[in-house]
């Protein structure tokens, strides 16, 4: 049972920005349900004076699963093995982004002039990701995941050939984006609004 719950949790956390929307509620509920089942078995085992091997293995599976989710390993593996070729193909069909990375936060005028349309067709699906919008900005390209990030925040994948900006590149609708490296020039991003 612990392995099944771990697999479900890892699948939920494999989106580009980790769990999104209602999955934030599913993660703790599944974890709490598993803990309650484990405690029931532990109490039953103490009463019967018998220690099954699963009683020791289940918490180890839980710790490994929590560590993998914390380090974003499921989203990295999913992107590298499944989605990266499709995203690379979309970027290859578009002209190279005009990258302008400043060593300071953007002014309001710069922020308004920085964001634009993606210079190619924006597919509804890229790999296993449902794409809500494609855009360009000063550091590269943004591909918004329709699931978003967290409960109501925007999120998705970013193609950043010169790396993630070290300054705030946000504007009114793309506020304080945070980038997490996935592989090569690819990053997951989350931005609040």
């Amino acid at each position: 049972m612990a392995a099944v719950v771990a697999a479900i949790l890892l699948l939920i956390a494999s989106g580009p920005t980790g769990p999104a929307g209602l999955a934030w509620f599913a993660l703790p509920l599944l974890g709490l349900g598993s803990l309650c089942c484990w405690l029931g078995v532990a109490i039953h085992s103490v009463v019967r004076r018998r220690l099954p091997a699963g009683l020791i293995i289940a918490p180890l599976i839980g710790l490994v699963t929590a560590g993998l989710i914390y380090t974003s390993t499921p989203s990295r593996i999913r992107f590298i093995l499944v989605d990266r070729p499709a995203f690379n193909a979309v970027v290859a069909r578009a002209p190279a982004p005009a990258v302008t990375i400043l060593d300071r936060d953007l002014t309001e005028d710069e922020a308004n002039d920085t964001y634009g349309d993606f210079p190619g067709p924006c597919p509804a699906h890229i790999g296993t990701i449902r794409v809500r919008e494609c855009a360009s900005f000063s550091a590269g390209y943004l591909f918004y995941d329709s699931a978003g990030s967290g409960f109501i925040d925007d999120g998705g994948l970013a193609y950043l050939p010169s790396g993630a900006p070290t300054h705030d590149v946000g504007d009114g609708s793309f506020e304080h984006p945070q980038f997490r490296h996935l592989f090569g020039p690819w990053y997951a991003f989350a931005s609040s609004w």
Side-chain angles (χ1 to χ4, degrees), residues 29-111:
L29 288 177
L30 279 170
L32 186 60
S34 298
L35 178 63
C36 289
C37 289
W38 182 83
L39 283 174
V41 171
I43 291 169
H44 182 71
S45 297
V46 168
V47 170
R48 295 185 68 205
R49 298 181 190 261
R50 200 170 139 214
L51 184 65
L55 199 59
I56 297 168
I57 294 171
L60 293 175
I61 291 173
L63 287 173
V64 168
T65 301
L68 291 172
I69 291 171
Y70 181 76
T71 59
S72 304
T73 301
S75 60
R76 282 189 176 104
I77 290 173
R78 175 181 170 184
F79 178 75
I80 291 168
L81 296 179
V82 179
D83 295 323
R84 184 172 53 113
F87 275 91
N88 282 341
V90 170
V91 169
R93 288 191 296 268
V99 176
T100 307
I101 297 183
L102 304 174
D103 58 356
R104 59 177 169 72
D105 292 351
L106 298 177
T107 66
E108 189 174 324
D109 289 336
E110 289 172 331

Side-chain angles (χ1 to χ4, degrees), residues 53-188:
L55 199 59
I56 297 168
I57 294 171
L60 293 175
I61 291 173
L63 287 173
V64 168
T65 301
L68 291 172
I69 291 171
Y70 181 76
T71 59
S72 304
T73 301
S75 60
R76 282 189 176 104
I77 290 173
R78 175 181 170 184
F79 178 75
I80 291 168
L81 296 179
V82 179
D83 295 323
R84 184 172 53 113
F87 275 91
N88 282 341
V90 170
V91 169
R93 288 191 296 268
V99 176
T100 307
I101 297 183
L102 304 174
D103 58 356
R104 59 177 169 72
D105 292 351
L106 298 177
T107 66
E108 189 174 324
D109 289 336
E110 289 172 331
N112 291 336
D113 292 339
T114 301
Y115 294 88
D117 294 331
F118 183 69
C122 182
H125 286 84
I126 304 175
T128 62
I129 309 296
R130 275 188 339 168
V131 177
R132 178 177 49 105
E133 177 186 357
C134 302
S136 64
F137 79 119
S138 63
Y141 297 136
L142 300 171
F143 301 92
Y144 288 85
D145 183 0
S146 63
S149 169
F151 194 62
I152 56 172
D153 293 338
D154 288 327
L157 294 163
Y159 175 73
L160 308 174
S162 297
T166 56
H167 60 286
D168 186 14
V169 292
D171 69 355
S173 62
F174 187 58
E175 294 181 11
H176 310 292
Q178 297 176 358
F179 298 95
R180 181 178 40 82
H181 188 249
L182 291 173
F183 185 83
W186 291 100
Y187 293 76

